[in-house]
Amino acid sequence: GYILAFDNTGGTATGVAINAVSTQKVNIPVVVRDDAGMQIATDTLNLAANGHLAFTLAVDKYPAAAGIRGTIELDTPPGAQIGALGIRIPVAHTFTTLPPLAK
């Protein structure tokens, strides 16, 4: 699994891209925490075999992440393999990748 830090303060947004490296459907458990480590959201992302998903925190998913810093944890289901990448989107639209930490 992966842990990705996010910072949605000061007009900055965080995007997340996830892919499944599997010939089977993958259900990815998600936990979103604030910067104090308190859980603010949970979810399960469903991806098709070799599927992918991209979203912006607080805009497309997890509105509790608006205007704060924290982490999003993406857990690898048993027998599956996933990939993840964060995208920092400042007000000036100077996009930067945010590599996740492997769990």
Side-chain angles (χ1 to χ4, degrees), residues 6-63:
F6 66 84
D7 180 353
N8 290 335
T9 62
T12 298
T14 304
V16 178
I18 306 164
N19 73 304
V21 185
S22 174
T23 58
Q24 302 293 323
K25 181 177 126 176
V26 176
N27 300 315
I28 303 168
V30 176
V31 178
V32 182
R33 293 182 176 89
D34 64 15
D35 60 358
M38 299 297 298
Q39 182 176 302
I40 58 172
T42 61
D43 195 7
T44 300
L45 301 175
N46 304 304
L47 299 181
N50 294 310
H52 60 88
L53 175 67
F55 57 89
T56 302
L57 282 172
V59 174
D60 300 320
K61 291 187 174 286
Y62 319 120

Side-chain angles (χ1 to χ4, degrees), residues 77-101:
Q81 186 178 3
I82 64 171
L85 179 69
I87 302 167
R88 179 175 158 81
I89 310 165
V91 176
H93 292 287
T94 51
F95 300 96
T96 304
T97 57
L98 299 171
L101 300 172

